[in-house]
Amino acid sequence: MPTPQQRIRTLVQTLNRYAHEYYTLDAPSVPDAEYDRLYRELEALEAEYPQFRLPESPTQRVGGAVLDGFETVVHTVPMLSLNNAFSPRDDETGAFDHAEFLAFDERVCKELGVVQVEYAAEPKFDGLAVSLLYQNGILVQAATRGDGTTGENVTENIKTVRNIPLKLHGEKQPALLEVRGEVLMLKADFAALNQRQLEAGQKPFANPRNAAAGSLRQLDSKITAQRKLHFFAYGIAQLAGAERLPESHMEELALLHELGFSLPEGYFGAYTGAAAVLREYERLAEHRPRLPYEIDGMVVKVNSLAEQQQLGFVSRAPRWAIAQKFPAEEALTTVEAIDVQVGRTGAVTPVARLAPVFVGGVTVTNATLHNQDEVARKDVRVGDTVVVRRAGDVIPEVVRVLLERRPMVEKQPALGGDLFSGSLEPLHEPFKLPETCPVCGSAIEREAGEAVARCTGGMLCQAQRAQGLIHFASRKAMDIAGLGDKQIEALVAADVLHSFADIYQLDIAKLQTIKDSKSAATKWAQNILDSIAQSRTPPLARFLFALGIRHVGESTAKQLAAAFGNLDTVRRAPEPILACLPDIGSVVAHAIAHYFRQPAQQKMLDDLLQHVAPQAAAPSPQT
């Protein structure tokens, strides 16, 4: 008779095999009742002999203790993004225009010195990218992509995803394996989740991607376990101690499948030459509505790993891969109103408020009109029937107006004219931006040569102040956990926050002003204050990005930090010197120099530096 330890090991192996057959292979070999019977036996044995519980036990998938927050994980191999290629479709013929992908193929062939390349192609899942780390076959860490360099530790939540192996399959497992893949929610599971949300009187999720992302980032992994997430592997970031090393992307996928990971069966493969890839793209586009999961395109990679290494990277993306996106999805709706929004840089953007319409996987109620010139060019008016377009995570936009459906009224005759002329005119006047900011009343100005009009109120404008502070505290900037959009907007509305420096003068009493229950708010407020304290010595690049300087994104902030080393040098850098930096140019250089020249900005920065000490960066060799 086996010992309890031996029986536990046997049950774990058996149940994991059954689960793999059910969740990954879709070919269960035993009825659910048999699985449940063995599972209950394992639970009872583990309760009696907890010292023999194995890390790969299926009982570890139900969720554990509630976390206070997610730890940060630094990716040993950065999780890079992909450049996009779009294939717009002709409205009349339905033919795709593949010019962008063909240009990518031409660059790859030229760099490799070949006539054609073998590519690997697979669906581009609309989910959340994660990294799974295995040591000696056991899952030890899972992390979100984050900013590509650092992510969040979601190990406990990932363990609840049924088709992710807690222990790799096979007799001989690598000493180290880092798997990259996508967590998503299947369409059927998404529909069932939203039905449960409605029955519970709760708001349904907008789309499967939001549901998956929200589920994976639950601090209570028991909630994640109830959401039925799914995982598809799409690559290997690290591999050591394996019997053999893959020489191509397709061999990587084959190895992952052997080790127990799910692949999108029937929708990935190797294709020689651009024409074969494009035929697969069009096939996938046709099959897209019938797939059990949401996709927004096809990922194309040079198949040979040696050729990938030869091609290398540019900025934050590989030269050997591209995301070939599907055309944007469109729908008809009506414009109920046209408002203006004021962004953190003061940009005043006209926004169409729409009758709700389902397009691109979400219900759309707003669409950008970009600027006054665009509104005038498209002649968008209240009451118009419009075509709305949405592609992936891109903000929906109004594409065109169906003028034949425009609401019309009978034109008033001129004095003494024919009362029965019968001529018609549009019911609504053309839209014009207001002359003053709807938030703070400051003048709205438009600089020569610019399409965007801006509020001149700066941090005096509550909209700019709130958005600027939200950006400052965001994860990719100063990373102040707990101080999100709602909290900052409430603190600004309560007249508590006026500048960046005010964040560092918050205390429990000030934070409690935006909480209904002061007793419940104490721990919450202390967590925020702890996070604020941790943000006082940020890397220079993050600090520069957090300031919200026009045109200065993460990449530009990193360039400035590497080129000048410390904040004092950046503040005093002449515009011509800034313009000489790679990928910056005159427009960005002017924005940076203008920001640091303004007396109000200088004072705001000096006040902030009383509380924050950005860490100097090592200057790059080129400087």
Side-chain angles (χ1 to χ4, degrees), residues 27 31 34 53 56 63 86 103 140 146 149 162 175 229 299 343 366 460 462 504 523 529 542 570 576 588:
E34 174 63 8
R53 183 183 290 119
E56 67 269 26
F86 291 91
V140 296
T149 302
R162 296 285 179 169
L229 298 177
V299 175
N366 304 311
L460 297 175
Q462 184 169 312
Y504 294 90
K523 186 176 187 302
L529 294 178
R542 274 182 175 263
V570 176
V588 181

Side-chain angles (χ1 to χ4, degrees), residues 168-179:
L168 298 177
H169 291 205
E171 295 300 322
K172 295 185 179 180
Q173 293 148 357
L176 176 70
L177 174 70
E178 184 180 354
V179 181

